[in-house]
Structures are given as C-alpha cells and as structure tokens.
Amino acid sequence: MTSSDRASARFEELLDTRPETLREAAQDFGHLVHSPPLGVLRPRSAAEVRDALVYAGPRGIPVAARAGGHSLYGQGQARGGIVLDLGELSAVGPVAGDRVEVRAGALWRDVLAATLPYGLAPPVLTDYLGAGVGGVLSVGGLGGASHRHGLVADSVLELEVVTGAGEHLVCSPDHHGALFHTVLAGLGQVAVIVRATLRLTPAPALVRRYCLYYPDLDAYLSDQRLLATDRRFRYLEGQARPVEDTADGWHYMVEALAAHQGPTPPDDGKLLGDLSFGTAETEDLDYAEFANRVAADEETLRASGEWLHPHPWLNLLLPEDTAASVVTDILADPAFADLRENGLALLYPLLTRTLWAPLFRRPRGEVVHLLALLRTAAPGEADPMVAANRRAYEYARAKGAVAYPANALPMSPADWREHYGSQWGTLAEAKSVHDPHGVLGRGHGLWTPS
C-alpha cells in the first residue's frame, strides 16, 4: 500500500457512516429534500477540512458544509458525498477592539452572547440566530439593519478558507481579494469558510420597538422608503398581515427600533410625526431579548413538532417600481392563501447602495423590497407549495425581481445564469480555478452535472 493509499484509508476511517448519522445529514430545516451522504466528517481544524477536500476532489465526491442545518432545499446536503459537520469549529473570540474572530460552525446566537458583554454586536443580524455563521455569509445575510449596514457578509474583514482545490488560504479585500469577494454571498461554490473576522458596532442596552399599522399598501411602501433613506431607526422591517374576518384583505405593519437611553427615552413625536400610519404600539425591551426573540417561537414549534414539518419558504427582492403590484398579486393568489392562517409575510426595504458583496444580486433602483413568504406545510403536502413558489418567482422575475437565494425554489443552471447576469463569468472562472473538480455547492444546482 502506498503512502497515499494509507492516507486515504485513515481518512475513510474518520467518516461517520452510521445509519442514524446519515439520516440526520440527509435533511435540513426545509424538510423538502432528502439526500443521504456517503458519510459525515467532524473536522476539528482547517487542516482536517483540507484533508477532506484533497480526498474528495480528485474522486469527484460532493462536499457540503453544515453548521446550523438551516438550509431550505438541500443546499447543505451532499448526495453520495461528504457532509462536513462544523460543530467542532464553533469557537467565538477573542473580541479585540471593534472586531471578533468566529469559527464558521458557530451560531449567530453564540456570536452575540460573546460580544454583548463588551457592549458590541455585529452591525446586521438575521432574525433567526440559530443559523450557522458560514452558511449566512455564503448567502449574504439580510436583517433589520440592512438598510443602514448592508448584508451580514458586508461586515466581514477577513476569511480563512479551504478551497475546493484543497488550498488553505487567508483572504481579505486586500489579500486574495478576488477569492474573498467570491466566497461572500457566493453560495459555497469555491471554498469552505473555516473562520471569519467580523466588524462590530456599539449595541444599545435597551431599545424601543414601534409597530405602526397601515391599511394601505402604497402609504406603507412610501413611508418605508422614507424610513430606509433617512435612517432614523437602527432596525427597520415590516410585515403584511391578514385582516381578520375578511377572506382576502391585508394590512401592513412597520416594525422599527430606536436605541433607548434608559432615563431619556426616544422622542416618539420626532420619530413618528411625519408618518401616515393608522395605529401604533410601542414597547421597551432589553436589546438581547429583542435580538433573540425568535428563540421562544422555536421552542414552541419544537414542542409542537411543527419545527420538523416542511418549510417551503420563498424570498424575493422586488424593484420599487413594481413592488406594489407584485405583492398585491402574490398575496391574492389562492396558492398562497395558507399565509393567512399558517405563515408569515415579511416586507421591508433595502438600499442597494449599502449592499456591497459583488456576487449578491439585487434588482434595479435605489430602494428594493424583500418579500419573504414563510410557510409551513403538513407532511406530504409541500409539493404544490414549492410549485407555487416557482410560479411566483417566474411572475416576479418578469417584473424585475431577483431571488434571495435562501429558498425552497427549484432553479436550473439556466436560471442561475440569468440570476447572475454579467457576474456569471466571474463566478464560473472562480469555480474553475478554486474548485476544479466541481465538488462544492452542488445542492444549489448552479451547474449541469458532468
């Protein structure tokens, strides 16, 4: 046996191939795609990640990285391949000045728990903090502070990665810059993130939460534009909510946060006086309590079993000039009627000038709107909902929308080429250089299988 054969044999011995392990790795939060891997590896270092890719690449074995397991449509799975369970690579810290080093397997709740004692937090957090750091950076990451600070990925200062070719590199905007900008919001196509250095900003101890209700969509979108562009709130999201006791009526809620200085509360009149909402609710909260607000919902859904049901979610970015018509038509579509009883429709503005990652695709215009249709299906009933997602995507795309690629949405290589447009060549070239065997990111379906 050669030394290479012995190394391969040692690597294969590290793979966990127990049936229960393979079953777990063959599912994700979406519970829509089930792709059993060959085995699961739990690397404890970048060197072990490198060993996996050196082994898998020449053999054409798919490799997928997994931390929180929060993908929706098999993006973090590897049929017949190797799943890298990054749970052992989850250290956070040290916090040094306005930055923190984070291993890619950490969850965002771990990051916040490590930085808040210093009065600091990442500039942008996603609503759900149980997602893994590496996964969010790979899709870009959106949240209530994106109108001010862009993507979660835009706060990254440096990355440690292992490419599909087995190169272990540290990259930043000034060092291996092309690779750095292909990894962030690059859907895991060229490298596995091992570590990220994140920029931090001051976090308030308290916040005042405003919920402002609008009966009219046009007035809502107009005020959301104003609030996004003048940046008076540190956090800005919103929802479409069904009107009770009607078959198809909707109203709209702005959700916004202002920092609360304890004895000196925010000036509600100054913040709200020029807005056209109907009714309002306010409450004062500990910032950590607000940031972790989804944790209570998760606990409830896990207890009821609904957390393990299929989640055919759809996330679209809409240009401002067609947002009202697209929102109105999709919410009126009978295929999305279940949103009224068993779902959530997020609708909030983003400023394209704050979204820096080159591979993050956005519609035309200064202001765009995220429409996130978050639904839960009964087991065995998700296929028509996924098909409805596809129809809604095609309709919205014809009106200038693009997908935010955290979706339960079938996408062909041709769809992806259209999605990336002029950036497709950049991504394809990076893929050929850094993942020449094409083993990374197959769950997204960007490339035609060879």
Side-chain angles (χ1 to χ4, degrees):
M1 180 181 290
T2 67
S3 60
S4 175
D5 291 336
R6 286 193 294 271
S8 296
R10 286 195 299 271
F11 175 81
E12 290 166 5
E13 289 174 358
L14 296 175
L15 290 178
D16 186 345
T17 60
R18 292 174 296 173
E20 61 270 25
T21 298
L22 302 185
R23 283 195 298 271
E24 181 179 357
Q27 57 186 333
D28 52 27
F29 177 71
H31 292 288
L32 295 161
V33 174
H34 303 276
S35 298
L38 175 70
V40 174
L41 180 71
R42 299 177 180 86
R44 294 164 295 178
S45 66
E48 292 186 0
V49 175
R50 180 185 180 279
D51 289 345
L53 286 163
V54 167
Y55 174 87
R59 295 169 173 81
I61 298 173
V63 176
R66 177 188 180 106
H70 203 66
S71 61
L72 291 165
Y73 206 59
Q75 294 93 340
Q77 299 176 31
R79 180 180 295 277
I82 298 169
V83 170
L84 301 177
D85 181 340
L86 301 182
E88 296 293 326
L89 294 172
S90 60
V92 180
V95 176
D98 65 348
R99 61 189 60 194
V100 63
E101 288 193 3
V102 181
R103 297 290 171 176
L107 307 182
W108 287 98
R109 64 168 67 106
D110 304 325
V111 178
L112 191 63
T115 62
L116 276 183
Y118 296 87
L120 299 169
V124 182
L125 289 167
T126 56
D127 291 339
Y128 176 59
L129 300 185
V133 166
V136 170
L137 298 182
S138 294
V139 297
L142 293 171
S146 288
H147 70 293
R148 298 179 62 152
H149 299 289
L151 305 171
V152 177
D154 291 330
S155 67
V156 176
L157 301 173
E158 184 180 86
L159 292 171
E160 180 183 359
V161 304
V162 178
T163 71
E167 291 186 282
H168 179 199
L169 299 169
V170 175
C171 55
S172 69
D174 301 319
H175 184 65
H176 297 301
L179 175 61
F180 178 82
H181 291 303
T182 308
V183 173
L184 294 175
L187 306 184
Q189 293 301 304
V190 299
V192 174
I193 299 172
V194 176
R195 174 185 57 83
T197 301
L198 307 176
R199 178 171 57 88
L200 302 172
T201 55
L206 300 171
V207 292
R208 176 161 290 179
R209 178 177 181 254
Y210 298 90
C211 295
L212 314 176
Y213 295 91
Y214 292 73
D216 178 73
L217 177 58
D218 289 335
Y220 170 83
L221 293 175
S222 177
D223 276 3
Q224 284 282 47
R225 170 185 243 280
L226 172 65
L227 296 175
T229 54
D230 73 14
R231 296 156 55 105
R232 71 184 72 174
F233 291 113
R234 66 177 298 118
Y235 167 102
L236 179 64
E237 289 197 6
Q239 300 176 20
R241 292 188 162 190
V243 178
E244 294 182 5
D245 301 322
T246 69
D248 55 6
W250 294 84
H251 62 165
Y252 304 89
M253 181 193 77
V254 169
E255 182 184 30
L257 291 188
H260 195 318
Q261 302 302 324
T264 308
D267 185 336
D268 295 348
K270 182 177 180 181
L271 289 172
L272 307 181
D274 58 347
L275 304 178
S276 58
F277 59 90
T279 59
E281 300 170 351
T282 64
E283 63 176 332
D284 294 325
L285 297 166
D286 177 89
Y287 174 71
E289 177 187 1
F290 174 80
N292 284 288
R293 65 198 178 283
V294 179
D297 295 332
E298 177 182 354
E299 185 176 342
T300 298
L301 293 172
R302 284 188 183 277
S304 70
E306 291 179 74
W307 191 261
L308 300 180
H309 288 187
H311 296 95
W313 289 7
L314 178 65
N315 289 279
L316 301 171
L317 296 169
L318 312 178
E320 185 177 28
D321 58 352
T322 61
S325 62
V326 171
V327 170
T328 299
D329 289 346
I330 290 180
L331 293 182
D333 186 339
F336 289 91
D338 59 289
L339 278 167
R340 303 182 63 84
E341 302 294 335
N342 192 28
L344 177 66
L346 300 179
L347 178 62
Y348 62 86
L350 307 165
L351 300 181
T352 53
R353 68 173 180 265
T354 70
L355 307 172
W356 288 104
L359 285 181
F360 186 82
R361 310 312 298 153
R362 66 219 74 181
R364 61 182 179 267
E366 175 192 10
V367 178
V368 300
H369 296 271
L370 173 69
L371 176 63
L373 306 175
L374 312 182
R375 303 192 284 170
T376 301
E381 297 183 5
D383 287 351
M385 298 164 79
V386 173
N389 286 352
R390 178 67 201 191
R391 292 192 301 272
Y393 167 66
E394 292 175 358
Y395 165 74
R397 183 173 61 179
K399 295 203 169 196
V402 299
Y404 172 56
N407 275 321
L409 177 66
M411 295 273 282
S412 70
D415 291 325
W416 285 114
R417 284 193 292 273
E418 180 175 341
H419 172 85
Y420 281 104
S422 62
Q423 291 290 333
W424 177 256
T426 299
L427 180 59
E429 174 63 20
K431 183 78 169 177
S432 68
V433 171
H434 297 296
D435 185 24
H437 304 289
V439 297
L440 292 176
R442 290 190 186 178
H444 287 277
L446 271 71
W447 320 97
T448 301
S450 57

